[in-house]
Amino acid sequence: MRGTSWAIDIDRDDIAQARLVADPEAPLAPGQVRVHVDSYAMTANNITYAVFGNPAGLFGNDQGYWDFFSDSGGPGRLPVWGFATVTESAADGVAVGDRFYGYYPMAEHAVLTVGKPGPGGFTDITPRRTTLPPIYNQYQRVEALADYRAADHDYWPVFRPLFLTGWLIADQFEDEGDYGAAQILIASASSKTAIGLGFAIKQRAARPETIGLTSAANVEALASQGVYDRVISYDQIMTLNASTPAALVDMAGNGAVTRVVHSYFGNNLKASIIVGKSHWDAQADADGLPGPERQGFFAPGRSQKRIADWGGAIFGQKIAEAWLAFMDIAPRLASVDKRGGGDAALAAYREMLSGQADPQKGIVVVP
């Protein structure tokens, strides 16, 4: 007899409207597997997925993040990063008990369609996903992850996708000669993507100064982590040297901060990059900004470029080396806050959406 698990449905047009629902388990079609989502992280990155759930041009087609796990016309299922175990299989090459790291819906169970199974994992080839960025459709066997260490398990969903994004931003800066900037201002500097960026830039021998921008209440704690060269509050931006060429990386889509930086630095602002939109309800306020045009950063696109440049093996090796170095310090950057069950999952989403989550903690949901 098949059971019923839980899932969280989100209104595609009003992401504040979310509810816990029963999710009946339908029979598998040939080639499909059912997995139990063992654990996943809830971060500001997930709020960005919700903001761009409807098509916004990110994928170069009429799809958005809702299309990974929900058909058009119904509620959205939010994508999350985590670990899962196969509980039922109708696919060759994937057996019950196999464990995978990858992209799952915010739910207790998920059904995936297996393509290209092998020792390293498989690709989900559910039709609606084949026209979405391939980096999101890869499911990696835990045992095949070269840079996986059991001691780091809970930090994988919390930090791995965000660290990778931060590392890719740092790589783009180096590739572009830092856009001619001598100082890189990183807004929402307590976010995990920002920390990954700050860490990656700091590994370079020759580099610009990194300045973390955060709320006044976070300055002391963030500065003590040693990720950035300096940490200042948002109301101290105009104490910086406006004649020194600068670049801005905005992790949260905060229009007010962006306007202050653009207005203060003017033509000495050499690049303005927006990464996320966790401040989903903030006014964009981007019209008529002095200085450079803002450019979006899209991690899947950058990954695909570097895989084409270097090959997949070298790309993976570079990520593994950077990740293991970062994991040596991750436990002092954030503790893990584990929460169990559907009600806790819904509460974690609402907490992150409201901006009340503690940046010093990584929320891990255990369905």
Side-chain angles (χ1 to χ4, degrees):
M1 180 181 296
R2 300 188 181 278
T4 297
S5 57
W6 60 261
I8 294 174
D9 281 350
I10 300 172
D11 189 304
R12 290 169 178 258
D13 301 314
D14 182 1
I15 63 174
Q17 301 303 314
R19 61 193 183 99
L20 190 67
V21 298
D23 193 25
E25 297 176 7
L28 297 180
Q32 291 185 328
V33 295
R34 193 185 322 277
V35 300
H36 177 268
V37 181
D38 300 324
S39 63
Y40 69 81
M42 177 52 53
T43 69
N45 188 48
N46 301 103
I47 304 307
T48 296
Y49 292 153
V51 170
F52 293 108
N54 290 320
L58 286 177
F59 304 148
N61 55 29
D62 60 352
Q63 292 179 286
Y65 281 100
W66 295 136
D67 293 297
F68 282 97
F69 297 111
S70 46
D71 293 320
S72 59
R77 293 276 168 91
L78 185 68
V80 294
W81 290 94
F83 293 95
T85 301
V86 177
T87 58
E88 187 179 355
S89 177
D92 293 335
V94 178
V96 171
D98 288 352
R99 297 185 303 151
F100 295 92
Y101 172 78
Y103 212 46
Y104 300 103
M106 191 160 57
E108 189 176 0
H109 289 88
V111 173
L112 310 172
T113 306
V114 175
K116 300 179 181 178
F122 68 90
T123 300
D124 188 312
I125 57 170
T126 300
R128 66 172 176 269
R129 295 183 67 166
T130 57
T131 50
L132 291 163
I135 193 172
Y136 294 119
N137 296 335
Q138 307 301 311
Y139 291 83
Q140 300 170 281
R141 292 184 189 274
V142 173
E143 296 78 11
L145 293 168
D147 48 351
Y148 173 84
R149 300 182 300 200
D152 304 331
H153 183 85
D154 289 336
Y155 286 95
W156 266 74
V158 169
F159 271 116
R160 179 68 171 203
L162 305 178
F163 174 79
L164 175 58
T165 298
W167 185 89
L168 288 167
I169 298 167
D171 172 69
Q172 180 167 302
F173 264 90
E174 187 171 14
D175 198 29
E176 297 290 340
D178 298 310
Y179 300 94
Q183 53 184 342
I184 300 175
L185 283 57
I186 304 173
S188 293
S190 62
S191 74
K192 295 171 181 61
T193 305
I195 288 171
L197 169 60
F199 176 87
I201 292 176
K202 204 164 190 178
Q203 307 314 298
R204 291 170 48 189
R207 58 179 179 80
E209 180 185 24
T210 57
I211 303 171
L213 307 179
T214 189
S215 62
N218 290 336
V219 168
E220 185 176 352
L222 191 58
S224 69
Q225 294 178 349
V227 173
Y228 306 104
D229 296 313
R230 276 195 285 166
V231 178
I232 64 172
S233 60
Y234 294 120
D235 60 6
Q236 294 177 313
I237 290 172
M238 288 187 287
T239 66
L240 298 172
N241 188 344
S243 66
T244 301
L248 171 66
V249 182
D250 178 11
M251 294 294 177
N254 190 323
V257 171
T258 298
R259 180 161 290 279
V260 169
V261 172
H262 274 253
S263 299
Y264 183 60
F265 283 93
N267 290 332
N268 274 331
L269 188 66
K270 302 304 180 183
S272 180
I273 297 172
I274 181 168
V275 181
K277 196 71 176 72
S278 57
H279 289 179
W280 60 279
D281 55 350
Q283 172 63 38
D285 195 24
D287 294 336
L289 288 176
E293 183 177 348
R294 295 201 302 170
Q295 58 178 292
F297 180 83
F298 188 47
R302 185 68 189 176
S303 294
Q304 288 172 273
K305 179 186 185 303
R306 279 316 202 186
I307 290 170
D309 291 342
W310 299 332
I314 293 176
F315 178 77
Q317 180 182 347
K318 288 178 178 287
I319 291 296
E321 291 172 356
W323 172 253
L324 289 174
F326 182 68
M327 279 297 94
D328 287 339
I329 69 164
R332 72 172 172 80
L333 300 179
S335 60
V336 173
D337 177 9
K338 279 191 173 181
R339 307 181 185 186
D343 289 332
L346 181 59
Y349 171 75
R350 288 173 171 163
E351 182 177 322
M352 192 62 61
L353 191 69
S354 69
Q356 296 176 348
D358 185 345
Q360 300 298 310
K361 294 182 178 180
I363 298 176
V364 174
V365 177
V366 183

